Amino acid sequence: MTNNQFMFLVFSVVIVVFSLLTVTSRRILRAATFLLFVLVSTSGLYFLLRFNFLAAIQLTLYAGGIVVLIIFSILLTSHISEKLAVPPVTKRIYAAIAAIAGAVLCILTILQTQFVQKTLDPARVHIRTIGEGMLSTGKYGYALPFEVISVLLLAAMIGSIILAKKRKD
Amino acid sequence: MIDFSYTIWILLIPLIVFVVTGLTGNRFKPIVTGIIGTAGLGIVFLLSVITAYKFFFVLDKVDGAFQRLLAFNYTWLNLTDKLHINIGVLLDPISVMMLIVISTVSFMVHIYSLGYMKGEKGFARFFSILSLFSFSMLGLVIATNIFQMYIFWELVGVSSFLLIGFYYEKDSAVAASKKAFIVTRFADLGFLIGILVLSYTTGTFDFITLTGPNSPAFTSGQGIMFLGMSTMTWSMLFIFMGGAGKSAMFPLHIWLPDAMEGPTPVSALIHAATMVVAGVYLVARMFPIFHHEQSALEIVAWVGGFTSLFAAVIACTQYDIKRVLAYSTMSQIGLMMLALGVSGYGGEDGLGYMASMFHLFTHAFFKALLFLGAGAIIHAVHSNYMHEMGGLRKHLPITHATFLIACLAISGIPPFAGFFSKDEILVAAFHHNKALFAMEYLVAGMTAFYMFRLYFNVFWGKEQHYHHTPHEAPLTMTLPLIILAIGSTFAGFIPFTKLVTSDSLPFENNTEWGIAIPSILIALVGIGIATMLYMKKSDTSKKVSIALGGFYTAAFNKFYIDQVYLFITKKILFNYVSRPVAWFDRHIVDGTMNQIAFVTNVASDKIKGFQSGQLQQYALAFVSGVIGLALLFTYLWTN
Amino acid sequence: MFEGVPVHWFLVLATTMFFIGIYGFLVRKNLITMLMSLELILNSVCINFVAFNKILFPEHLEGMFFTLFIIAVAAAEASVAIAIIINIYRRLVNIDVEKMNEMKY
């Protein structure tokens, strides 16, 4: 077992276990914390794959930004000590059947598929490459999605403010 | 060649006035709408006079006959290669004459209404509909083809409906307007059938083709016989049915007396001078074909003759002055129909045709005058009933004088207009049908009697107690009376034999004194009886009516024709036709629809549970669906 | 071959995580926990993209860029969703998804 395999398995176990805890924990703040662990482990996977920039983004934006946002809203809307009610059994059974069936179907399909794997390019991705790719308009350039995303972010920001602000009446 | 294309404006101006006043009616002061309407009709009147002058005196004749001109023509609907419906302006002697009649009377009525309708709630609406009526009536007489005529014919019906129901808050007015509309509409159904049969057999709608010397109507539709009459005869009879409905011929007359619920100027315009003569005009328009189908023409003559006698008898018994005038109108129109019915075609033979048009012309003047005078009387005493009137001659001098002229004119006393035209009718009847001729002598006497009965009852006799002293009408009302009185006096001197004849060729004709003098004497006898009975209030008239017994009661109740109609419609049609049809509609047609709605309702009630509003149920369904589809396409449907 | 870790491992991991997210979305009643389940789902997709990029198509950085964009969209989505949740909370004083059925039939 190589180091890579070992690390992958560690991260996988963390991800799967804490994902499960996230969706089953009855204390909502804990669920948010478990989600944080999942996201951090995912960024570990990215580090493993030598996408350092991406891993950093994952940490700062996901773990640092979104989870904090979620925790804030939890604090705004519920008590910390409050325990969530257990969902009804029938609902859990139906959901579990759907999820497991889907998972089995997908995994079977994945395992039956042959992928053409390429030899690894060990070189790290430079920030410079990413920046140029982000702003170039040529082939493998992403100027247009970049612009679209920026407009989307602006719209989302304004939209959230309008939605969340108190009505005068 | 004189350009007549401006005549289209005779049609367009009232339409424009109608649209403008109809849309802006409430924005202006009512009087502004009235003045716009009157001014519009004034222009139409001038244009009509100019057209008539040019047509009769300036335009060259072809072989001594007046031309028939298409002053304006526009193909509106192309049905087949040959059959198409045009909209246009046809000028020939009768249409030009009708233009004069309609525009004059309509103009007078407009002026009169300015005074009569003053202060009414629907003043603007009244003038607006009056313009619509003028437009429809003018369009009817200048129609180039029978279909255009039919369209305007229906428009006339609608505007008449609107005007009769002008006081729509009054139940009797609503009922009368409905009655008029339904009865004339029923008659128009016959007209439409006639048009369809005629156009189917001849392949044309066009008047010039249909009534020309080589008309297809003379040759086609002769072969197939039904009940002993040919197709063409039947189509003429159906067309005459439409004319009889509009002209209130027996037995389709029942709407006309009730139509007096409308404002009096309307009665003068529509139910005396213009709309009701549309039927006469229609028969005159189609006259060559009628003449070719002698059996149809015979029926026209007898229906006209019978109606004139029938209406005259009823008129002698009525007390409502407007109803007396209404029955008198029916009677006079019956005379016109009779004149057409006994007429031949061409030259001296076409005397009846000429007489009919002549009487139409003069009758328009004196009957409009009578109605407007009646309006002035009603305006003064606020009552329709002659036994609530009396001795009005001192209070209403102008109305009295003009009314007297009109009464003399309608009774056929020379030199007033009615004498000349009625005399021509009598001559025509004498030469063709002695029975009808005798009938008309009787009608002439009765006409004089009931008109003077009305006259004496209103203007002479004992003065009644009125709410306030009756006063003469304002100038806007008396001016039209005076103008129409002048018309009623002198219209008889117009040489109609030179102008309006069956084949457009002028002919010479002199008054036949052998027939005229007895008719004058009969009229004088009628007037004499009326004078005896009614000049002073006395019991003699009551005694006479009691002596006549059942006949008087029957005439007073209009011979129970209304009751017969009610019996047929209410008892027979409603019970044996409408009820079963209504049952079928309610239970079978509606039932089917209700069942469909019921099934849909139940089904939707059952499945609406799916729309639970539970987001997670939707998500579950969505995920299951996606998985199901994935399964289907990866394992089951893999070719 | 990424030094002994085949692409299948990544895909199986991502699938597992994805369906755990689905499960959470289907059973959780609280809107915020549903939102967290959604984050799991998005994250699993990101892992897929990155793994494909690194192992199958290492010449270019398409997968990585898309992951970046997904993170940006997720951030936007989270902010709008939380604004909506707060608004709902203000009106209904709870954020139970089962109570939000006013627009049913």
Side-chain angles (χ1 to χ4, degrees):
Chain A
M1 186 179 280
T2 63
N3 284 343
N4 277 342
Q5 283 176 338
F6 177 70
M7 288 310 291
F8 176 81
L9 286 177
V10 170
F11 286 134
S12 313
V13 169
V14 172
I15 286 175
V16 170
V17 168
F18 284 108
S19 294
L20 278 171
L21 285 173
T22 309
V23 297
T24 50
S25 165
R26 291 179 60 196
R27 288 185 187 273
I28 186 165
L29 205 56
R30 281 189 198 174
T33 321
F34 296 146
L35 177 66
L36 178 67
F37 292 157
V38 173
L39 297 174
V40 171
S41 305
T42 313
S43 94
L45 273 184
Y46 296 163
F47 275 119
L48 193 64
L49 287 167
R50 303 285 189 278
F51 281 122
N52 291 353
F53 176 72
L54 191 60
I57 294 285
Q58 170 86 7
L59 271 181
T60 51
L61 233 165
Y62 248 126
I66 295 177
V67 170
V68 169
L69 195 61
I70 286 174
I71 287 173
F72 268 132
S73 61
I74 289 169
L75 294 178
L76 270 174
T77 54
S78 27
H79 287 289
I80 302 171
S81 57
E82 190 181 301
K83 271 191 173 180
L84 293 175
V86 183
V89 181
T90 47
K91 198 173 174 183
R92 279 192 300 182
I93 289 172
Y94 281 132
I97 289 173
I100 290 169
V104 168
L105 180 67
C106 283
I107 289 169
L108 281 178
T109 315
I110 289 165
L111 292 181
Q112 283 168 6
T113 312
Q114 290 295 318
F115 292 105
V116 186
Q117 306 198 348
K118 301 230 170 121
T119 44
L120 179 70
D121 175 16
R124 265 195 218 147
V125 180
H126 282 286
I127 300 288
R128 185 188 183 85
T129 329
I130 296 171
E132 279 168 355
M134 204 63 109
L135 292 177
S136 121
T137 53
K139 208 178 180 192
Y140 304 113
Y142 295 90
L144 182 66
F146 181 75
E147 294 295 333
V148 171
I149 290 290
S150 55
V151 172
L152 176 76
L153 279 173
L154 182 66
M157 194 166 77
I158 297 172
S160 330
I161 293 170
I162 301 264
L163 275 173
K165 108 181 156 182
K166 256 195 179 130
R167 298 274 153 81
K168 275 200 178 131
D169 47 36
Chain B
M1 191 70 198
I2 305 159
D3 185 23
F4 276 109
S5 59
Y6 65 88
T7 46
I8 191 68
W9 286 101
I10 293 178
L11 209 53
L12 289 180
I13 288 171
L15 179 63
I16 293 167
V17 169
F18 163 66
V19 171
V20 169
T21 56
L23 290 178
T24 63
N26 296 325
R27 305 269 162 90
F28 304 128
K29 275 187 179 168
I31 193 71
V32 178
T33 314
I35 287 170
I36 292 174
T38 313
L41 247 295
I43 297 168
V44 170
F45 172 66
L46 282 178
L47 285 178
S48 305
V49 172
I50 293 168
T51 310
Y53 172 74
K54 279 188 180 170
F55 184 84
F56 284 120
F57 301 112
V58 181
L59 188 65
D60 294 328
K61 293 179 183 175
V62 178
D63 300 332
F66 290 108
Q67 300 181 18
R68 320 181 88 185
L69 294 174
L70 278 178
F72 182 88
N73 200 15
Y74 169 72
T75 306
W76 182 44
L77 290 177
N78 266 318
L79 298 181
T80 65
D81 293 338
K82 279 168 68 191
L83 200 60
H84 47 81
I85 298 173
N86 293 5
I87 293 283
V89 177
L90 173 67
L91 294 180
D92 70 348
I94 53 172
S95 73
V96 173
M97 180 210 76
M98 287 298 284
L99 279 186
I100 292 285
V101 170
I102 292 161
S103 60
T104 312
V105 176
S106 184
F107 185 42
M108 291 305 131
V109 166
H110 269 81
I111 297 175
Y112 182 87
S113 305
L114 284 177
Y116 186 84
M117 299 298 289
K118 195 169 209 161
E120 290 279 358
K121 213 168 66 184
F123 192 84
R125 176 164 56 96
F126 180 79
F127 273 92
S128 163
I129 304 173
L130 220 50
S131 291
L132 174 67
F133 174 78
S134 307
F135 161 71
S136 329
M137 195 64 211
L138 292 164
L140 193 159
V141 298
I142 59 175
T144 60
N145 58 74
I146 197 159
F147 214 92
Q148 184 189 352
M149 194 173 193
Y150 182 71
I151 293 166
F152 284 99
W153 187 273
E154 293 296 344
L155 270 174
V156 165
V158 169
S159 39
S160 158
F161 166 79
L162 291 171
L163 285 168
I164 297 170
F166 178 74
Y167 298 115
Y168 56 85
E169 287 162 347
K170 229 165 74 180
D171 286 342
S172 58
V174 173
S177 64
K178 270 197 292 194
K179 189 173 180 182
F181 193 72
I182 292 168
V183 173
T184 52
R185 195 65 200 75
F186 174 70
D188 293 347
L189 178 67
F191 189 15
L192 184 61
I193 294 172
I195 291 174
L196 293 180
V197 174
L198 180 70
S199 59
Y200 179 76
T201 47
T202 61
T204 180
F205 290 120
D206 193 46
F207 282 136
I208 293 184
T209 321
L210 276 176
T211 60
N214 302 315
S215 167
F218 296 162
T219 49
S220 52
Q222 303 291 348
I224 306 155
M225 305 298 265
F226 179 67
L227 293 180
M229 286 189 283
S230 68
T231 316
M232 191 50 63
T233 312
W234 275 107
S235 87
M236 283 302 110
L237 280 180
F238 274 119
I239 287 176
F240 175 64
M241 181 179 161
K246 272 275 186 296
S247 287
M249 290 293 103
F250 182 86
L252 295 169
H253 65 277
I254 52 162
W255 64 272
L256 185 63
D258 287 11
M260 295 303 134
E261 289 292 343
T264 311
V266 168
S267 309
L269 176 61
I270 298 184
H271 308 121
T274 55
M275 184 180 98
V276 287
V277 297
V280 181
Y281 179 74
L282 174 66
V283 176
R285 182 47 93 202
M286 309 294 286
F287 188 72
I289 310 178
F290 271 103
H291 183 252
H292 192 261
E293 309 299 327
Q294 273 299 325
S295 40
L297 199 61
E298 194 85 352
I299 290 172
V300 172
W302 278 101
V303 168
F306 178 73
T307 308
S308 70
L309 182 64
F310 172 81
V313 171
I314 297 178
C316 293
T317 62
Q318 298 297 309
Y319 284 106
D320 182 330
I321 58 173
K322 281 177 77 180
R323 275 174 195 256
V324 173
L325 293 178
Y327 281 107
S328 143
T329 306
M330 272 168 61
S331 170
Q332 300 299 315
I333 292 167
L335 278 181
M336 296 174 208
M337 284 288 188
L338 180 144
L340 282 173
V342 297
S343 174
Y345 186 76
E348 199 90 30
D349 246 10
L351 182 66
Y353 179 92
M354 186 282 292
S356 171
M357 290 296 108
F358 195 10
H359 197 57
L360 194 162
F361 187 78
T362 55
H363 172 259
F365 282 97
F366 55 70
K367 189 49 65 70
L369 175 55
L370 282 170
F371 267 106
L372 295 184
I377 296 163
I378 294 168
H379 191 70
V381 301
H382 302 289
S383 169
N384 276 8
Y385 293 97
M386 59 173 85
H387 45 69
E388 292 174 12
M389 303 171 188
L392 283 172
R393 68 182 185 284
K394 289 170 218 131
H395 301 294
L396 308 170
I398 300 173
T399 312
H400 170 238
T402 52
F403 206 84
L404 179 59
I405 290 173
C407 285
L408 289 170
I410 196 173
S411 307
I413 305 296
F416 297 102
F419 164 72
F420 295 96
S421 50
K422 199 178 260 183
D423 182 57
E424 303 292 359
I425 292 179
L426 289 169
V427 173
F430 179 75
H431 287 303
H432 286 85
N433 193 325
K434 296 287 192 293
L436 285 170
F437 170 71
M439 212 180 211
E440 286 329 302
Y441 260 176
L442 197 56
V443 171
M446 283 165 75
T447 307
F449 170 73
Y450 66 69
M451 283 321 298
F452 277 87
R453 169 176 174 263
L454 176 65
Y455 167 76
F456 283 122
N457 260 319
V458 171
F459 291 102
W460 295 70
K462 208 170 79 217
E463 192 157 330
Q464 302 279 320
H465 179 72
Y466 301 112
H467 291 294
H468 56 87
T469 318
H471 52 86
E472 185 58 277
L475 181 69
T476 45
M477 284 164 70
T478 49
L479 185 70
L481 291 181
I482 294 164
I483 295 171
L484 286 172
I486 294 168
S488 307
T489 315
F490 297 109
F493 296 106
I494 295 173
F496 255 62
T497 51
K498 304 276 190 299
L499 301 175
V500 182
T501 55
S502 55
D503 53 358
S504 301
L505 284 166
F507 63 93
E508 285 298 326
N509 184 52
N510 297 313
T511 312
E512 283 191 35
W513 292 105
I515 290 167
I517 289 171
S519 95
I520 297 168
L521 288 177
I522 286 172
L524 286 174
V525 168
I527 295 171
I529 296 172
T531 317
M532 258 166 35
L533 290 178
Y534 298 106
M535 190 154 171
K536 296 256 161 55
K537 280 261 148 94
S538 66
D539 291 339
T540 332
S541 60
K542 281 228 179 73
K543 279 178 196 152
V544 173
S545 61
I546 291 164
L548 283 171
F551 184 72
Y552 176 82
T553 324
F556 183 73
N557 290 313
K558 304 148 201 167
F559 292 107
Y560 304 105
I561 299 294
D562 280 291
Q563 280 75 3
V564 169
Y565 269 93
L566 277 183
F567 177 76
I568 292 172
T569 51
K570 278 235 168 91
K571 288 274 152 58
I572 297 175
L573 278 178
F574 284 14
N575 278 348
Y576 297 106
V577 180
S578 305
R579 288 257 164 76
V581 170
W583 184 89
F584 181 82
D585 182 58
R586 220 163 279 149
H587 291 90
I588 308 294
V589 178
D590 287 5
T592 313
M593 291 300 147
N594 286 343
Q595 277 304 314
I596 291 171
F598 178 72
V599 168
T600 315
N601 205 354
V602 168
S604 63
D605 214 51
K606 293 273 183 264
I607 62 172
K608 81 177 177 186
F610 290 133
Q611 294 286 322
S612 61
Q614 297 297 329
L615 182 64
Q616 286 169 324
Q617 281 184 16
Y618 301 165
L620 181 63
F622 171 67
V623 171
S624 318
V626 168
I627 292 169
L629 282 178
L631 269 176
L632 184 68
F633 285 113
T634 43
Y635 292 104
L636 299 177
W637 202 340
T638 47
N639 290 330
Chain C
M1 188 68 105
F2 170 65
E3 291 171 30
V5 185
V7 73
H8 294 97
W9 292 23
F10 283 97
L11 297 186
V12 170
L13 170 67
T15 310
T16 314
M17 198 173 161
F18 183 88
F19 280 100
I20 290 170
I22 294 277
Y23 173 80
F25 189 82
L26 291 181
V27 294
R28 290 291 210 170
K29 279 166 71 181
N30 189 301
L31 275 179
I32 295 177
T33 49
M34 284 173 74
L35 182 64
M36 294 190 320
S37 309
L38 271 182
E39 299 295 347
L40 282 181
I41 293 170
L42 282 169
N43 217 45
S44 73
V45 175
C46 288
I47 292 176
N48 263 6
F49 268 118
V50 171
F52 278 138
N53 188 352
K54 196 70 188 182
I55 301 169
L56 301 184
F57 304 100
E59 303 87 12
H60 299 288
L61 294 171
E62 288 144 310
M64 197 207 73
F65 276 115
F66 269 95
T67 307
L68 275 177
F69 291 138
I70 288 171
I71 291 172
V73 172
E77 166 249 308
S79 70
V80 174
I82 283 169
I84 292 172
I85 288 168
I86 288 176
N87 214 349
I88 290 170
Y89 180 75
R90 208 179 277 150
R91 281 169 185 250
L92 304 178
V93 205
N94 70 57
I95 45 173
D96 187 342
V97 72
E98 287 179 356
K99 302 242 169 76
M100 272 158 240
N101 56 3
E102 284 197 8
M103 291 175 73
K104 70 175 174 184
Y105 41 84

